[in-house]
Amino acid sequence: MTIYNFSQLVINWYHINGRKDLPWQKNKTLYIIWISEIMLQQTTVKTVIPYFKKFILNFPNIESLNNSSLDEVLYLWSGLGYYNRARNIYKSAKIITAKYYGIFPSNFSDVIKLPGIGKSTAGAILSLSLNFFFPILDGNVKRVLIRYYGIIGSLKDRIIEKKLWHITEIVTPIHNTGKFNQAMMDIGALICLAKKPKCEICPLSKRCIAKIKQKWENYPLKNTKKIYPIKTSWFTLIQFNNTLWMEKNIEKKIWKNLFCFPSFDTEEKALNWLKEKKINTNTYKKIKPFIHKFSHFILYIYPILIPLSSCLKFCKKNNTGLWYDLKKPQHIGLSKPVQKILENFKKNIF
């Protein structure tokens, strides 16, 4: 198949079957596409949609984002994960305001310098919003190309990635680049699935090596199953009436700038901390533990509840956090495990 036929088949498929009604595809702007592309990094469309809608409703442009606080941004991001993306968006808003007069840059060399933006994301932003000729290579596109061309190798192999960049630069058409890139992402997300691909409805199936060989599971090669290290964390839930004490993670790498319950890697350290704060540990109660999975380790969380009859002494010694009000929640960034605990608390209290 010629390069022209490849791109034409993809674009023809897009006109009939491609996604055209996603929230960020309406009234496209560089800003809108930028926010959506950052949110879509390592996250599915279905998960992103409600977060995107809420984010744009609160921050419709760079000016409103620049004038906000990081806490407000993290609050809207709470539960979406990979919080460094939110911090990068906030940093970028400051840079764009200071360096580009509040207008998102349309030059590739400027876009790629913004925090959290790599070659593929920069290409996606400019091609999807302005139809500029820039190829992309996200995880879905990689899988489509590896299977179509029968490339033996792992997605994490740098040599394979270099080869895939060369291919995508060749097959991406100069005209209708935006439609082609969207179609390639759609084919990867909706048809050329990692498991059980729907080859019978794929526009590229007739010349796809993986389909011809009936060996799609070999493309790409699976990485050796990773053994994730296990860590533990004891969350200390200090309760006073309808409030819970939280502190902002300033120094910790995990959940940085998010509010969390004071946490410790052993129960002994948690209890010693409470004793230092002159809190009676005889009243503490263990709550059912649960697991939270990160991309690089598994965290076993053991919450312990300590109800206070008075918070005066504790408040005088602690000005590093806040009392989170379960009835009137503050707009602060919260991690998913903290949100889970708060939801259970609300069920039991109200």
Side-chain angles (χ1 to χ4, degrees), residues 249-295:
N249 282 339
I250 302 297
E251 297 179 2
K252 292 181 181 179
K253 291 182 179 179
I254 300 171
W255 300 319
K256 190 175 181 181
N257 296 121
L258 301 181
F259 280 83
C260 188
F261 306 112
S263 56
F264 308 87
D265 54 13
T266 67
E267 183 179 13
E268 183 182 8
K269 288 180 182 178
L271 294 177
N272 287 338
W273 181 81
L274 289 166
K275 288 173 184 176
E276 288 174 8
K277 303 297 180 186
K278 308 298 182 185
I279 294 175
N280 184 5
T281 57
N282 294 328
T283 60
Y284 93 92
K285 173 186 174 184
K286 291 183 179 180
I287 297 175
K288 187 178 179 181
F290 60 95
I291 295 172
H292 182 73
K293 293 182 179 179
F294 288 89
S295 59

Side-chain angles (χ1 to χ4, degrees), residues 235-240 244-247 262 264 267-285 304-318 323:
F235 281 16
T236 53
L237 282 60
I238 303 170
Q239 180 186 13
F240 176 67
L244 290 165
W245 179 255
M246 289 192 191
E247 295 180 349
F264 308 87
E267 183 179 13
E268 183 182 8
K269 288 180 182 178
L271 294 177
N272 287 338
W273 181 81
L274 289 166
K275 288 173 184 176
E276 288 174 8
K277 303 297 180 186
K278 308 298 182 185
I279 294 175
N280 184 5
T281 57
N282 294 328
T283 60
Y284 93 92
K285 173 186 174 184
I304 55 175
L305 176 64
I306 305 94
L308 299 182
S309 56
S310 170
C311 71
L312 290 176
K313 290 182 180 179
F314 182 77
C315 287
K316 286 179 182 178
K317 295 181 180 180
N318 294 275
W323 288 97

Side-chain angles (χ1 to χ4, degrees), residues 100-307:
Y100 304 107
Y101 307 100
I103 301 170
F104 194 95
S106 58
N107 188 297
F108 185 88
S109 60
D110 293 328
V111 175
I112 202 169
K113 288 176 186 175
L114 294 173
I117 295 181
K119 185 177 176 182
S120 185
T121 301
I125 292 168
L126 294 173
S127 64
L128 297 177
S129 60
L130 301 175
N131 199 33
F132 284 0
F133 173 65
F134 287 109
I136 62 169
L137 193 66
D138 70 357
N140 286 323
V141 176
K142 285 180 181 179
R143 189 168 57 254
V144 173
L145 294 177
I146 278 180
R147 286 177 175 169
Y148 182 83
Y149 286 99
I151 298 169
I152 302 295
S154 166
L155 288 174
K156 294 184 178 180
D157 189 325
R158 290 185 180 180
I159 295 174
I160 296 298
E161 178 153 346
K162 188 176 180 180
K163 186 173 185 177
L164 291 173
W165 268 115
H166 177 67
I167 292 172
T168 194
E169 285 164 0
I170 291 173
V171 300
T172 302
I174 294 174
H175 302 291
N176 293 315
T177 303
K179 291 178 181 178
F180 176 83
N181 284 345
Q182 183 62 56
M184 287 294 285
M185 290 189 288
D186 288 351
I187 290 169
L190 304 174
I191 296 176
C192 196
L193 307 173
K195 295 179 181 179
K196 298 182 180 179
K198 302 172 183 177
C199 300
E200 66 280 3
I201 59 171
C202 180
L204 300 170
S205 63
K206 287 185 179 179
R207 295 290 183 91
C208 175
I209 299 298
K211 171 66 168 60
I212 292 169
K213 290 186 176 182
Q214 293 293 305
K215 290 286 183 181
W216 58 263
E217 65 273 13
N218 292 343
Y219 303 94
L221 287 178
K222 293 178 182 177
N223 296 311
T224 306
K225 196 168 184 180
K226 191 175 179 181
I227 299 174
Y228 294 94
I230 293 174
K231 298 182 181 182
T232 58
S233 186
W234 293 78
F235 281 16
T236 53
L237 282 60
I238 303 170
Q239 180 186 13
F240 176 67
N241 293 335
N242 289 318
T243 64
L244 290 165
W245 179 255
M246 289 192 191
E247 295 180 349
K248 196 172 189 178
N249 282 339
I250 302 297
E251 297 179 2
K252 292 181 181 179
K253 291 182 179 179
I254 300 171
W255 300 319
K256 190 175 181 181
N257 296 121
L258 301 181
F259 280 83
C260 188
F261 306 112
S263 56
F264 308 87
D265 54 13
T266 67
E267 183 179 13
E268 183 182 8
K269 288 180 182 178
L271 294 177
N272 287 338
W273 181 81
L274 289 166
K275 288 173 184 176
E276 288 174 8
K277 303 297 180 186
K278 308 298 182 185
I279 294 175
N280 184 5
T281 57
N282 294 328
T283 60
Y284 93 92
K285 173 186 174 184
K286 291 183 179 180
I287 297 175
K288 187 178 179 181
F290 60 95
I291 295 172
H292 182 73
K293 293 182 179 179
F294 288 89
S295 59
H296 53 298
F297 71 92
I298 297 172
L299 185 65
Y300 280 76
I301 297 171
Y302 297 87
I304 55 175
L305 176 64
I306 305 94

Side-chain angles (χ1 to χ4, degrees), residues 47-84:
T47 301
V48 164
I49 287 175
Y51 283 93
F52 173 83
K53 287 181 176 179
K54 190 165 58 172
F55 194 94
I56 294 301
L57 187 65
N58 284 270
F59 306 125
N61 49 45
I62 289 172
E63 183 182 5
S64 57
L65 185 56
N66 178 64
N67 292 335
S68 69
S69 67
L70 180 57
D71 281 337
E72 290 176 289
V73 174
L74 290 171
Y75 167 71
L76 291 173
W77 206 276
S78 295
L80 190 57
Y82 299 100
Y83 294 92
N84 205 37

